[in-house]
Amino acid sequence: MLNKLAHIILKYRTFLLVILLGITLFMAYKAQEVEFSNDFAKVVPPDDPEMLTFERFKATFGEDGNVMVLGVQDSALYTPENFRRFAYLSENIKLIKGVSEVISLPTLVRLAKDTSARAFVPETIFSTFPDDQTTLDSLLAVAASQQFYQGTLFNPENGATLILITLDPAQLNSNYKETLINDVYESGKLFEENTNIKVHYSGLPFFRVMLSNIVKSELKLFLIASAIITALFLLLFFRSKKAVIFPLALIGVMVIWVMGTLAILEYKITLLTGLLPTIMIIIGIPNCIYLLNKYHQEIAQHGNKMRAMVRVIKRTGLVTLITNVTTAIGFMVLMSSDISILKEFGVVAGVNILATFVVSIILIPIVFTWLPAPKGRELKHLEFKSLKRVLHGLDLLVHRHRYRLMYGALAFSLIGMWGASKLQAVSYMVDDIPEDNFVKQDLRFFEANFRGVMPLEILIDTGNKKGVTILQNLQLIDEVEQVLAQHEDVTKPLSVVSFVKSARQAYYNGNPRYYDLPNSRDRAFLLSYLGKNSDMSTAMAGFVDADGQKIRLTARVRDIGSLKMDSLINGEIKPAVNKVLEGSKLTADFTGTTLLFIKGNDFLIANLVQSLLLAFGIIAVIMAMLFANFRMILISLVPNLIPLILTAGIMGFFGIPLKPSTALIFSIAFGISVDDSIHFLAKYRQELRSNGFSVPLAISKSIKETGASMIYTSIVLFAGFVIFSGSNFGGTVALGILTSTTLFFAMITNLSVLPALLLRFDKGINKNEVKGLIEHFEFYRAEDDEEIDLELLEIKN
């Protein structure tokens, strides 16, 4: 079969090259349609009860994550000139397309009592902006007396204040979203330039766009860096420009195919899929190294490039296919996930890794059979003395100290398990961004002055239509608000109770002492005023459903991490709220983007663990098909499990949390590292047959011939993934460093522990045992190679 494949590839070189070029041009055309996603991933399955609750909440009250905030803390703001400019800033933001509402100190509205109409009327506090400081201070005192806004719009303790900007969800879900956020951002920067007053920015829409912009910039940076590093290593290994230019061309093709695949499947570039072009460069190069190294070995033996390339395809083709399949499995198992971002990542990565094999097995033989055969300096790497010494040392180590290697591996594994027991799964809403980044620093400003910006929603069902008009229900909701307010990580909540309290304060001429629920004496008077107040009814519509039965209680929380957030909400607040409502008809459902994030993080971790187990199972089945020997399956998997255990131990000892970006390491690294085992074992089984089933001799020859390629590819993989350590995202940094570390460990174990295990547990080939696939395709004598009839390779008109 492989012999026929070699003849087809070499006979129809031009035709196959034209096909590849055509597909690449089509993919390049489609790649122009790819969009960047700046939305938080929907990681909770759509049929999950909490997701269904959130969808019902949004259907009634709208989005909870469409508010952007600007913050200022500077006494210079409260001068007539600067305060007027602050008002202009609010007005300018209101005029931006996509901005639905702006609430700020200059735009504050309070309720005033109209005794003649027996109604409340909205009254703008700053109807004009005075030029003198005394008048301004007087109006600011009036604003400060409005209890409704204290702690939510301004901090009475230090004068920090916010501009709350509600954005149109339709615009946030369109291609205009970046322009919208950038227009708001530029308005704030202009105010900052004119006043020298620092403006801080936050809110989920702002985070999403900023993260998207970082992903865009890093996509280009990593592509360039990985291409440069790959080129340098190829030049160092092969000392040939040809061995650099054409492998880079191959991975360039695969990068285009990745982007085209994203467009065809209508996937967007996320924090995960944005890594794929660079990952394809890193993973694609080992194919080139194995093929070129084998080609150079054959040329050095007999000098016939056609015969050499046929042997490359026959002897390396199947193993390269299998290693690409196992690598693809490390990604494609994510397709089993219910989570869209993991599924998309797995689909695109898996498909293109398999496509990489097809492109490499076609492109490399075609190009290098057209080029002059390598000679002289280009073949010197085969006699690289330092590398030979390393491989010779490994050979001696394995043969003389195999038991020490196995016991050492066991000891390190036990230490790794101990460290792994210390692992904690924790993630943050604004995760992975360095503390010195302005996005994170601005978030800390809002958390210090307003207890955070992450939305927390509670949906309270009174059990009856018009239940909102029952004073006893409002009193219970007020107690719920007090439960929330006593936690330093939660802002003062807002609900219909806040409006009723504000109305009572207005009824008593704005006296802040009367900011409370009505009592039995003033309840009837207050209700008569409220009944005639259409403006207040409109304002309360965002907090009460049309039937007056369900009430929205909204607050904001600090980004304290999934573990603390889960403890705070489910361990403290929920039980306290349920205790308040116990014995009444009222029920409370906690919902919102923040809570779904907590649950989503747990889903992600669980899915990634399942994916790793699935990858382990599938690769074990592949090993069983290849070798048809249970002992060989265990021998092949052990050296690749040890690096995963060691990496988990490092994470535990150094406090690196288990989160989506770091959990992803294990399935990816396992799929890649097992490639070395397959290459080594394939060569080992060949050498067994060629050397009278002598295990020690087969191992020595396998280390010396396959070891060079294993070291080359491991170095490229290590350097390639280390590139991610330059990311602005902490999770991406961890992904790069830990994946590199895992693959480095895997190289060591596959060149030491694997042969040591073979020496101890493999007795050669039993004539009666069932032969695996590797036996049927890989075992033959050199003299069995068919010579290619060069006449058949001529392209005739």
Side-chain angles (χ1 to χ4, degrees):
M1 183 183 76
L2 292 174
N3 193 56
K4 290 181 180 179
L5 176 63
H7 278 80
I8 291 171
I9 291 172
L10 297 178
K11 183 177 181 180
Y12 299 104
R13 289 177 289 180
T14 304
F15 175 70
L16 292 173
L17 199 60
V18 169
I19 290 178
L20 287 180
L21 179 62
I23 295 173
T24 303
L25 290 174
F26 172 74
M27 289 295 194
Y29 170 75
K30 294 298 294 182
Q32 300 175 72
E33 302 173 5
V34 178
E35 297 180 6
F36 286 82
S37 172
N38 60 8
D39 197 2
F40 281 116
K42 294 181 178 179
V43 293
V44 179
D47 58 349
D48 182 81
E50 291 189 26
M51 176 59 81
L52 294 175
T53 299
F54 185 51
E55 292 298 333
R56 288 194 298 270
F57 168 84
K58 290 197 295 183
T60 305
F61 297 110
E63 294 283 346
D64 72 331
N66 63 330
V67 176
M68 180 175 173
V69 292
L70 273 60
V72 174
Q73 183 190 1
D74 195 323
S75 59
L77 176 69
Y78 301 106
T79 63
E81 182 180 359
N82 286 337
F83 195 77
R84 187 179 296 109
R85 285 177 174 165
F86 195 56
Y88 293 155
L89 172 61
S90 302
E91 293 173 6
N92 290 336
I93 292 174
K94 184 67 170 72
L95 296 175
I96 295 173
K97 176 187 174 184
V99 174
S100 303
E101 185 180 6
V102 174
I103 300 176
S104 67
L105 197 55
T107 66
L108 274 193
V109 173
R110 67 168 181 168
L111 292 178
K113 183 172 65 173
D114 185 343
T115 53
S116 60
R118 295 180 64 82
F120 295 116
V121 294
E123 179 181 88
T124 303
I125 296 175
F126 297 94
S127 54
T128 61
F129 298 98
D131 294 324
D132 63 289
Q133 188 68 49
T134 303
T135 307
L136 176 61
D137 290 343
S138 176
L139 292 174
L140 288 171
V142 174
S145 69
Q146 304 304 305
Q147 299 292 309
F148 182 87
Y149 298 107
Q150 279 194 17
T152 56
L153 192 66
F154 55 85
N155 185 331
E157 296 179 2
N158 59 18
T161 186
L162 302 178
I163 298 180
L164 298 174
I165 307 163
T166 304
L167 304 174
D168 181 2
Q171 299 295 342
L172 285 177
N173 294 323
S174 71
N175 293 331
Y176 175 71
K177 52 189 170 288
E178 289 188 19
T179 302
L180 170 57
I181 298 300
N182 287 333
D183 284 349
V184 175
Y185 179 74
E186 290 302 323
S187 297
K189 297 304 289 185
L190 184 61
F191 169 80
E192 193 172 315
E193 291 173 7
N194 291 331
T195 61
N196 290 320
I197 295 174
K198 174 67 177 174
V199 179
H200 303 271
Y201 307 84
S202 198
L204 292 185
F206 178 72
F207 295 143
R208 292 164 180 167
V209 170
M210 291 299 105
L211 294 181
S212 175
N213 290 339
I214 296 174
V215 170
K216 286 181 184 178
S217 62
E218 290 195 349
L219 175 60
K220 298 175 184 176
L221 175 65
F222 290 151
L223 276 175
I224 295 170
S226 59
I228 292 172
I229 288 178
T230 299
L232 290 174
F233 277 110
L234 287 173
L235 187 61
L236 176 65
F237 294 155
F238 294 107
R239 309 294 176 86
S240 168
K241 293 180 181 177
K242 292 178 291 186
V244 174
I245 294 171
F246 294 103
L248 285 180
L250 186 150
I251 58 178
V253 167
M254 294 319 304
V255 168
I256 293 172
W257 283 32
V258 166
M259 302 302 286
T261 306
L262 285 169
I264 291 170
L265 297 176
E266 297 183 351
Y267 296 160
K268 294 184 178 181
I269 297 178
T270 63
L271 189 58
L272 277 183
T273 54
L275 301 176
L276 281 177
T278 306
I279 288 176
M280 292 309 301
I281 293 177
I282 300 167
I283 292 176
I285 285 300
N287 282 1
C288 301
I289 291 176
Y290 276 109
L291 293 172
L292 288 176
N293 203 48
K294 182 63 178 173
Y295 176 58
H296 286 186
Q297 288 173 359
E298 292 291 334
I299 289 293
Q301 286 181 18
H302 52 73
N304 187 318
K305 64 180 182 181
M306 285 298 183
R307 182 189 303 170
M309 200 55 79
V310 169
R311 290 183 176 180
V312 167
I313 296 172
K314 289 173 65 176
R315 295 184 177 182
T316 313
L318 179 64
V319 178
T320 305
L321 171 61
I322 293 167
T323 55
N324 277 256
V325 168
T326 55
T327 301
I329 286 170
F331 290 87
M332 294 184 78
V333 288
L334 300 175
M335 294 167 57
S336 64
S337 170
D338 294 326
I339 300 169
S340 61
I341 57 165
L342 292 181
K343 187 176 293 185
E344 292 171 8
F345 182 74
V347 168
V348 178
V351 167
N352 282 282
I353 288 169
L354 295 177
T356 301
F357 166 76
V358 176
V359 175
S360 59
I361 204 68
I362 292 174
L363 193 59
I364 294 296
I366 287 175
V367 169
F368 282 87
T369 50
W370 274 335
L371 295 172
K375 54 188 176 181
R377 185 173 177 229
E378 295 175 329
L379 299 177
K380 278 187 176 181
H381 69 92
L382 297 175
E383 301 297 326
F384 190 30
K385 293 182 180 179
S386 297
L387 182 59
K388 281 195 167 187
R389 283 196 293 269
V390 170
L391 295 176
H392 180 67
L394 282 169
D395 188 26
L396 293 176
L397 179 68
V398 167
H399 282 84
R400 296 177 179 177
H401 305 286
R402 58 180 178 272
Y403 289 104
R404 290 182 181 178
L405 283 172
M406 289 187 289
Y407 292 140
L410 177 61
F412 278 111
S413 297
L414 292 174
I415 294 171
M417 290 177 185
W418 178 32
S421 67
K422 301 177 181 293
L423 267 176
Q424 286 189 318
V426 60
S427 191
Y428 293 81
M429 290 281 285
V430 183
D431 208 354
D432 300 337
I433 298 178
E435 286 294 331
D436 59 354
N437 186 283
F438 87 96
V439 174
K440 185 65 74 69
Q441 289 181 342
D442 281 2
L443 175 63
R444 298 292 176 246
F445 167 84
F446 291 100
E447 290 180 340
N449 291 284
F450 298 96
R451 299 188 182 181
V453 294
M454 303 303 171
L456 172 64
E457 304 287 349
I458 302 179
L459 188 61
I460 296 180
D461 190 341
T462 62
N464 296 308
K465 290 185 177 181
K466 303 297 182 183
V468 68
T469 62
I470 300 174
L471 182 59
Q472 185 179 0
N473 289 342
L474 296 181
Q475 290 171 339
L476 287 173
I477 296 171
D478 187 31
E479 289 185 47
V480 170
E481 289 190 3
Q482 292 173 29
V483 167
L484 289 173
Q486 72 182 7
H487 292 278
E488 62 178 12
D489 294 318
V490 185
T491 65
K492 184 182 81 173
L494 292 178
S495 70
V496 64
V497 169
S498 309
F499 285 95
V500 173
K501 288 181 176 181
S502 183
R504 186 170 185 263
Q505 180 181 352
Y507 182 78
Y508 288 101
N509 302 314
N511 190 329
R513 289 190 303 150
Y514 291 93
Y515 182 78
D516 202 350
L517 288 172
N519 54 37
S520 56
R521 291 174 301 168
D522 54 26
R523 177 174 177 274
F525 298 105
L526 189 60
L527 289 178
S528 68
Y529 274 74
L530 286 171
K532 299 177 182 179
N533 194 271
S534 59
D535 291 317
M536 190 168 180
S537 299
T538 303
M540 287 195 300
F543 291 87
V544 183
D545 71 348
D547 295 328
Q549 177 174 331
K550 294 181 179 179
I551 298 169
R552 173 190 186 183
L553 194 156
T554 184
R556 297 191 299 274
V557 295
R558 287 190 174 99
D559 188 15
I560 57 177
S562 54
L563 275 180
K564 290 183 178 179
M565 190 77 75
D566 182 54
S567 176
L568 174 66
I569 301 299
N570 296 313
E572 298 181 37
I573 294 179
K574 271 188 180 182
V577 168
N578 291 334
K579 186 176 181 180
V580 169
L581 302 181
E582 189 177 7
S584 71
K585 290 184 178 180
L586 277 65
T587 58
D589 286 320
F590 287 71
T591 187
T593 304
T594 303
L595 294 190
L596 284 180
F597 162 77
I598 297 172
K599 187 162 191 176
N601 189 65
D602 294 337
F603 266 105
L604 277 169
I605 301 300
N607 272 265
L608 289 169
V609 170
Q610 292 171 11
S611 298
L612 175 60
L613 295 175
L614 182 59
F616 182 84
I618 294 174
I619 290 174
V621 171
I622 291 175
M623 292 298 191
M625 294 170 62
L626 286 175
F627 300 107
N629 184 315
F630 182 73
R631 183 176 61 250
M632 193 64 71
I633 296 170
L634 292 179
I635 289 173
S636 65
L637 292 178
V638 167
N640 297 291
L641 288 177
I642 294 171
L644 303 184
I645 294 170
L646 293 178
T647 299
I650 290 171
M651 292 173 63
F653 285 127
F654 287 92
I656 301 172
L658 189 66
K659 53 186 175 182
S661 52
T662 52
L664 197 63
I665 294 165
F666 297 98
S667 59
I668 293 176
F670 182 67
I672 296 173
S673 66
V674 80
D675 294 355
D676 281 345
S677 296
I678 293 172
H679 276 287
F680 187 91
L681 289 171
K683 183 62 181 173
Y684 167 70
R685 300 289 277 200
Q686 285 182 5
E687 294 298 338
L688 273 177
R689 182 67 64 92
S690 302
N691 293 277
F693 306 117
S694 169
V695 172
L697 187 56
I699 285 174
S700 292
K701 289 193 172 185
S702 299
I703 290 175
K704 290 175 182 178
E705 184 168 332
T706 311
S709 294
M710 290 169 67
I711 291 173
Y712 287 167
T713 55
S714 295
I715 290 173
V716 171
L717 289 168
F718 180 88
F721 277 103
V722 162
I723 290 170
F724 292 131
S725 63
S727 172
N728 284 302
F729 298 106
T732 306
V733 172
L735 173 68
I737 294 176
L738 293 174
T739 304
S740 298
T741 303
T742 308
L743 295 176
F744 177 75
F745 289 150
M747 178 192 71
I748 294 175
T749 54
N750 276 301
L751 282 172
S752 59
V753 177
L754 175 58
L757 290 170
L758 289 170
L759 275 173
R760 172 61 184 84
F761 297 106
D762 193 35
K763 305 302 181 183
I765 296 180
N766 186 334
K767 294 181 180 179
N768 297 322
E769 73 179 4
V770 179
K771 291 183 179 180
L773 285 177
I774 209 76
E775 307 282 348
H776 295 287
F777 287 98
E778 288 293 319
F779 289 125
Y780 48 81
R781 295 183 301 275
E783 57 264 33
D784 292 336
D785 284 330
E786 279 188 44
E787 296 293 339
I788 288 186
D789 185 351
L790 298 181
E791 293 295 322
L792 295 176
L793 296 177
E794 291 183 3
I795 300 173
K796 299 180 179 180
N797 293 328

